[in-house]
Amino acid sequence: PSSSCSVYYIIMKRGALVQLKCAIQHYDWGVSGQTPSAVAELGSLNREEKIDEEKPHAELWMGTHLSGLNVIKETDSSDSSSSLKQHVEANAKETLGEKCLKRFGNDLPFLLKVLSVAKALSIQAHPDKQLAEKLHEEKPHMYKDANHKPEMALAVTEFEAMSGFISEPKEALEKCPELKLLTGIRLEEMDAMKEDKKAQMKYLFTKVMLAEKEEVAKHVRALVKRLKEAEGKGGNGDDERDRLALRLNGQYPDDVGVMCAYLLNYIKLQPGEAVYMAANEPHAYLDGECVEVMATSDNVVRAGLTPKARDTEILCDMLTYKLGKPEVLTGDVIDKNTKRYSPPFDEFELEVISCSKNETAELTVSQGPSILLVKNGKGTLNDDVRIEKGSVVFANANEKMTLTNSDDGEVSIYRAQVNTRVF
């Protein structure tokens, strides 16, 4: 019929779709519970509880990672017997599908999150599998699993981040004289390495990050003093790196991460734009809201802009020192209801699904599992699973799903699934 949206989905057996009660993380960089945010709103609707105004709301977790346990709503209890993880493991062939089970083992290979960022997250990178296994064995209290953690962030609002190294390491020293004083690096030294810019950046970044804390504080204060004086005279106000350095110092005074404003790419994503980070690439989210999907892991190696434990030497050693701006994805149109963001990682991709008033949409069929988060609107999946804003649904592999809109406005859904290139 003409009112039907074109895509390909329906559902066969009951139990192939389960509703989830998800986990909220209250990290201190999150948005205050007294301020509207996606994590607070979607989390309270999902969990059917009032927003806790006393806590920051940083992340909403959807998946099987034990640091953010998801339970199946029908049982509505918090013991592990009703967790999504146990459901997936006990029914691995049906939930994950044979190809996914063979490729990734008997756990969900991806984790879906919503982030509401009020102040900068740490300067960080995520280890590759080999390093993750080593760190988990040596420091299990800091590194809770042995998996790698490539990830992708899709902007929901304007979203600011630092991601990857700038193309010209020498320019950082020219732009920020305090960096030169902190590291003691002369421009002639950089010129001697001009054939190997990765080596230049490794030398510079390692010198900065491993500098003595007192020395860092002294030179950050000098930088801030210079910038504020220039601002007072009407200069430097238009330089986004200088403004960022001042902002970071306001959040984390005298921290070495302030200097990273001159070493890392500063990016502003508009809603609908996404950026991905491979293992061993430095980044820090700064402000805004995003939907994030990643391999199932919580491993983070930190080195700045954080009150948490730092592993600076490990971070400096593990990075690839790849230079240049990150690739920004705008999504591929699959059909009139579906846009797909596919990073170069096997574990995951993200679909954004929309269905207008009085319409139905056949969703794409995945040979692996998927998790669906309802961002707006209400309707049904396969006529018998009612969904509304904040609903989170786990779908078995190979299931057909039909989305029917029963709202006055549009239904919009984020769907995380295994990257189609695996199949």
Side-chain angles (χ1 to χ4, degrees):
S2 58
S3 65
S4 164
C5 304
S6 63
V7 190
Y8 347 80
Y9 245 12
I10 298 172
I11 229 161
M12 307 299 182
K13 44 188 187 292
R14 290 188 67 81
L17 300 180
V18 294
Q19 300 244 22
L20 302 178
K21 182 177 180 179
C22 303
I24 298 174
Q25 307 288 7
H26 299 282
Y27 308 137
D28 67 351
W29 50 260
V31 173
S32 161
Q34 296 173 21
T35 304
S37 71
V39 171
E41 187 178 12
L42 293 170
S44 74
L45 290 169
N46 173 266
R47 296 175 61 81
E48 299 173 52
E49 59 190 27
K50 285 178 68 176
I51 294 170
D52 186 341
E53 295 188 353
E54 301 302 310
K55 294 179 179 176
H57 289 65
E59 297 185 351
L60 180 66
W61 285 31
M62 293 152 277
T64 56
H65 199 283
L66 294 176
S67 295
L69 201 64
N70 281 210
V71 296
I72 294 170
K73 267 198 171 174
E74 283 73 10
T75 58
D76 205 23
S77 71
S78 58
D79 68 38
S80 60
S81 64
S82 61
S83 73
L84 175 62
K85 185 174 179 66
Q86 187 146 8
H87 170 69
V88 167
E89 288 175 351
N91 307 282
K93 195 173 279 190
E94 292 79 22
T95 56
L96 300 174
E98 288 188 19
K99 286 186 180 177
C100 182
L101 182 60
K102 187 176 179 183
R103 173 74 176 78
F104 301 110
N106 68 337
D107 194 11
L108 192 64
F110 57 81
L111 178 62
L112 179 64
K113 297 182 184 181
V114 178
L115 274 64
S116 294
V117 180
K119 67 176 185 177
L121 279 68
S122 55
I123 305 291
Q124 60 183 252
H126 307 296
D128 58 29
K129 275 200 166 157
Q130 188 178 355
L131 180 57
E133 286 167 6
K134 182 171 180 282
L135 292 174
H136 178 57
E137 189 176 328
E138 292 174 357
K139 301 180 182 181
H141 60 291
M142 281 178 68
Y143 303 100
K144 303 285 175 70
D145 57 77
N147 201 13
H148 68 162
K149 193 189 172 194
E151 61 189 18
M152 176 174 68
L154 171 65
V156 175
T157 63
E158 182 174 84
F159 192 74
E160 296 176 76
M162 293 189 288
S163 181
F165 288 110
I166 61 170
S167 300
E168 296 291 339
K170 187 179 170 183
E171 281 180 10
L173 294 171
E174 292 168 338
K175 168 80 183 147
C176 180
E178 293 80 10
L179 265 179
K180 207 160 46 167
L181 292 168
L182 172 62
T183 59
I185 295 174
R186 293 172 293 114
L187 293 178
E188 298 79 39
E189 289 180 81
M190 298 296 271
D191 289 337
M193 289 187 279
K194 66 183 178 185
E195 299 305 318
D196 189 350
K197 287 185 179 172
K198 282 188 181 182
Q200 279 186 340
M201 184 56 84
K202 183 171 185 177
Y203 183 54
L204 172 57
F205 185 74
T206 303
K207 281 258 194 185
V208 171
M209 302 309 285
L210 294 180
E212 292 295 328
K213 194 174 180 181
E214 295 75 18
E215 283 294 299
V216 170
K218 182 175 87 173
H219 291 293
V220 169
R221 284 176 198 150
L223 167 65
V224 169
K225 183 171 182 281
R226 174 173 65 81
L227 295 180
K228 285 189 172 173
E229 284 174 356
E231 234 177 21
K233 294 173 186 170
N236 274 6
D238 292 335
D239 191 285
E240 61 183 14
R241 290 187 180 279
D242 291 342
R243 289 201 308 271
L244 177 57
L246 287 172
R247 215 168 99 198
L248 294 176
N249 189 67
Q251 295 173 4
Y252 300 93
D254 303 342
D255 192 278
V256 70
V258 175
M259 294 297 192
C260 290
Y262 300 97
L263 300 172
L264 302 180
N265 298 298
Y266 172 53
I267 59 172
K268 274 187 188 177
L269 297 178
Q270 297 308 308
E273 293 181 334
V275 65
Y276 59 84
M277 277 74 60
N280 304 329
E281 300 293 349
H283 58 281
Y285 296 156
L286 301 173
D287 187 73
E289 297 189 308
C290 74
V291 172
E292 193 180 37
V293 62
M294 65 205 67
T296 298
S297 172
D298 195 29
N299 285 327
V300 182
V301 182
R302 299 179 178 88
L305 305 179
T306 181
K308 295 181 181 179
R310 305 181 184 204
D311 256 338
T312 306
E313 288 188 32
I314 289 173
L315 183 86
C316 291
D317 190 55
M318 71 189 265
L319 298 177
T320 65
Y321 294 95
K322 179 182 169 188
L323 306 180
K325 290 203 169 181
E327 181 185 7
V328 175
L329 303 180
T330 53
D332 299 318
V333 174
I334 304 302
D335 52 52
K336 72 173 190 171
N337 305 106
T338 311
K339 188 180 265 194
R340 181 180 292 161
Y341 297 80
S342 298
F345 314 124
D346 288 351
E347 285 88 347
F348 59 85
E349 65 188 11
L350 191 65
E351 288 187 347
V352 180
I353 298 158
S354 57
C355 187
S356 301
K357 182 181 176 182
N358 299 325
E359 287 196 321
T360 61
E362 305 287 338
L363 308 192
T364 62
V365 178
S366 173
Q367 293 182 53
S370 56
I371 289 179
L372 298 87
L373 163 66
V374 182
K375 181 195 176 192
N376 282 310
K378 62 183 177 182
T380 57
L381 286 170
N382 299 344
D383 296 330
D384 61 353
V385 177
R386 291 187 179 185
I387 56 171
E388 60 187 1
K389 184 173 184 173
S391 294
V392 177
V393 176
F394 173 84
N396 281 3
N398 300 305
E399 294 300 336
K400 293 181 177 180
M401 289 183 272
T402 300
L403 169 63
T404 304
N405 184 345
S406 59
D407 199 24
D408 288 338
E410 185 177 76
V411 176
S412 54
I413 291 176
Y414 296 112
R415 180 189 183 192
Q417 60 192 21
V418 175
N419 198 312
T420 46
R421 75 181 195 174
V422 170
F423 308 114

